[in-house]
Amino acid sequence: MRTSPRRQLISDSVLAVVMTAFSLLFALSVGPHTAVEWEGLTALPQRPADAFSLVLIVCCTLPLVFRRRWPFLILAATTVPVVVLNVLDYSAGLGDLAAMVLLYTVATQRGLALSVLAAVLVMAGYLAGALPGNQQLVWTDHAIIVVVTALVWVIGRTIRLRRAYLGELVDRADRLERAREADTRAARAEERSRIARELHDVVAHHVSVMTVQAAAARTMLEKDPQVARDALVSIEEMGRTAMAEMRSIVGVLRTDGPAERGPQPGMHDLPGLVDQMREAGLTTQLWLEGEVRQLPPGVDLAAYRLVQEALTNSLRHAGPAARAWVTVRHEPSELMVHVEDDGRGLVLKRENGGKGHGLVGIKERVALYGGVLRIGPRPGGGFEVRARFPLKDR
């Protein structure tokens, strides 16, 4: 988990203050004779700390407060006072340690080229300040400095690469999660659209037929009660059929158990559909051409729903004296469905605002199976719906 910038600034401020305090204490307490007491070495020509050197020591460590914001610039700026202190034989305190901290910061937060340049800058500052005045140092001492510098750089680069790798893994997981959510939303939208089409086809067809028959029953109630009674019986049967189909469709939405689903209607149910239209008052004729064969389930249902929606629109909009024709042609490579009427459905549809989901559902069904659809007025008057469904060779 990443640390907030405010907490990073606080921690860097504490680090800078602590290192500055210890650096000043080290410069004031450690002199040239201290090395003799510790190591038994010859006293080094080191000047005692004064105000000038203490200011330079502060300039070496206190800028660590901004080490995460401008690490390379801070490293370049602090290298100068370290070199000046070493050249003038002052104690640099913890200035060399601060340079290592800055090198580590550059290696972890900047690119390869800048981190290499930072390592070169650290070594150049060490050589410029240490070699001229420290003749007591041997080549092993210099080798240790080189090894420590390289080790700090390698650790910083390793941490940077690991962070980048983990960040890429997190980004990839986020992308996969977003893609999965998008696929889920698309699947849900497609399923909702399919259920909406099914519900519309069932409800619009049966309710339209029931409305026409109810109007006929109301008209004939006093003139011919028997005709009205037959119409009411037909309305009852149509209502039961509509409820059964709606129960089958809505059952798909249940999650507490398997839905009770009956077989979906298909082109073999067209004669019954045509009879329903005739009973509702729409003179309808059906022609079947070509060799009838078994259709793919999706095409079979889509073609049936197309005929159902087209006849329902003819019943609602074509007028009381209109006639409708349904032509189904089976060909080796395609299925052609043509529904037409001689009424004035286009005029009525414009008067009603042309609103509805039936034609949209037809277009979606035909497009889903790669078909070609034409909807519009007939040349001789009336309205027609023509669709061609491609069939794969079997």
Side-chain angles (χ1 to χ4, degrees):
M1 183 175 61
R2 293 182 179 272
T3 307
S4 63
R6 180 180 178 85
R7 296 187 62 180
Q8 290 179 352
L9 181 61
I10 293 175
S11 62
D12 292 340
S13 300
V14 173
L15 175 64
V17 171
V18 170
M19 288 194 65
T20 301
F22 276 97
S23 184
L24 293 174
L25 181 63
F26 182 84
L28 292 173
S29 60
V30 177
H33 299 287
T34 307
V36 177
E37 298 175 0
W38 287 354
E39 302 286 346
L41 300 176
T42 304
L44 297 177
Q46 188 177 74
R47 295 183 181 182
D50 53 20
F52 175 72
S53 64
L54 294 179
V55 171
L56 292 180
I57 290 174
V58 172
C59 294
C60 294
T61 55
L62 195 59
L64 288 176
V65 174
F66 305 104
R67 70 182 183 93
R68 298 179 194 267
R69 183 174 299 180
W70 306 296
F72 185 80
L73 294 179
I74 298 299
L75 175 61
T78 55
T79 300
V80 176
V82 172
V83 172
V84 172
L85 288 170
N86 289 328
V87 169
L88 297 180
D89 295 331
Y90 285 110
S91 173
L94 302 183
D96 295 331
L97 180 60
M100 291 299 173
V101 173
L102 290 170
L103 175 61
Y104 169 82
T105 306
V106 174
T108 55
Q109 302 206 2
R110 296 297 183 265
L112 177 61
L114 200 61
S115 65
V116 171
L117 186 59
V120 173
L121 181 63
V122 170
M123 291 306 305
Y126 167 73
L127 295 176
L131 292 183
N134 292 330
Q135 303 297 330
Q136 296 285 337
L137 298 177
V138 295
W139 68 271
T140 54
D141 299 323
H142 302 315
I144 291 175
I145 298 299
V146 172
V147 170
V148 171
T149 303
L151 183 61
V152 171
W153 183 86
V154 169
I155 293 175
R157 287 297 301 173
T158 302
I159 292 178
R160 174 177 173 80
L161 294 177
R162 179 174 176 80
R163 289 176 180 173
Y165 175 72
L166 294 178
E168 178 62 25
L169 290 181
V170 173
D171 292 340
R172 184 180 302 177
D174 292 340
R175 290 194 300 269
L176 291 176
E177 183 66 21
R178 289 194 297 269
R180 183 169 57 186
E181 292 178 355
D183 293 341
T184 302
R185 289 194 298 269
R188 289 176 178 174
E190 182 180 356
E191 183 66 13
R192 286 196 297 267
S193 178
R194 184 186 68 83
I195 294 174
R197 287 196 303 266
E198 291 293 328
L199 287 175
H200 174 270
D201 292 340
V202 171
V203 174
H205 167 68
H206 291 88
V207 171
S208 296
V209 174
M210 292 166 63
T211 302
V212 172
Q213 290 182 337
R218 179 175 55 83
T219 303
M220 301 299 296
L221 185 60
E222 296 180 356
K223 298 180 180 179
D224 194 344
Q226 183 61 37
V227 174
R229 187 179 298 107
D230 294 339
L232 292 175
V233 172
S234 179
I235 291 174
E236 181 182 1
E237 294 177 354
M238 188 67 63
R240 294 182 185 277
T241 303
M243 288 298 297
E245 292 194 28
M246 290 181 62
R247 187 179 298 111
S248 176
I249 295 173
V250 176
V252 178
L253 302 176
R254 294 179 181 173
T255 58
D256 55 350
E260 298 178 1
R261 302 181 59 188
Q264 291 282 6
M267 297 300 287
H268 60 277
D269 297 314
L270 283 184
L273 178 62
V274 171
D275 291 340
Q276 290 179 2
M277 292 294 112
R278 291 171 181 167
E279 293 177 1
L282 178 64
T283 302
T284 309
Q285 294 180 347
L286 173 64
W287 285 284
L288 300 178
E289 302 177 1
E291 181 182 355
V292 180
R293 59 175 180 169
Q294 184 177 1
L295 299 173
V299 175
D300 195 20
L301 176 61
Y304 175 84
R305 293 302 189 195
L306 184 146
V307 176
Q308 184 184 56
E309 179 64 26
L311 290 179
T312 301
N313 286 337
S314 297
L315 178 65
R316 296 170 59 187
H317 303 297
R323 295 175 299 171
W325 299 270
V326 180
T327 303
V328 179
R329 182 183 300 118
H330 293 265
E331 297 181 2
S333 59
E334 69 176 11
L335 173 69
M336 193 279 291
V337 179
H338 186 200
V339 182
E340 55 185 336
D341 62 60
D342 59 356
R344 54 192 189 98
L346 185 62
V347 177
L348 291 179
K349 199 169 185 61
R350 287 175 179 172
E351 292 176 355
N352 293 334
K355 298 180 180 179
H357 302 281
L359 297 182
V360 176
I362 289 178
K363 293 178 181 178
E364 291 177 351
R365 289 183 185 277
V366 176
L368 182 62
Y369 297 100
V372 178
L373 177 66
R374 181 190 180 278
I375 301 177
R378 294 174 64 227
F383 202 76
E384 69 173 350
V385 177
R386 184 191 300 268
R388 294 180 178 273
F389 294 91
L391 301 177
K392 298 180 179 180
D393 296 334
R394 293 179 296 172

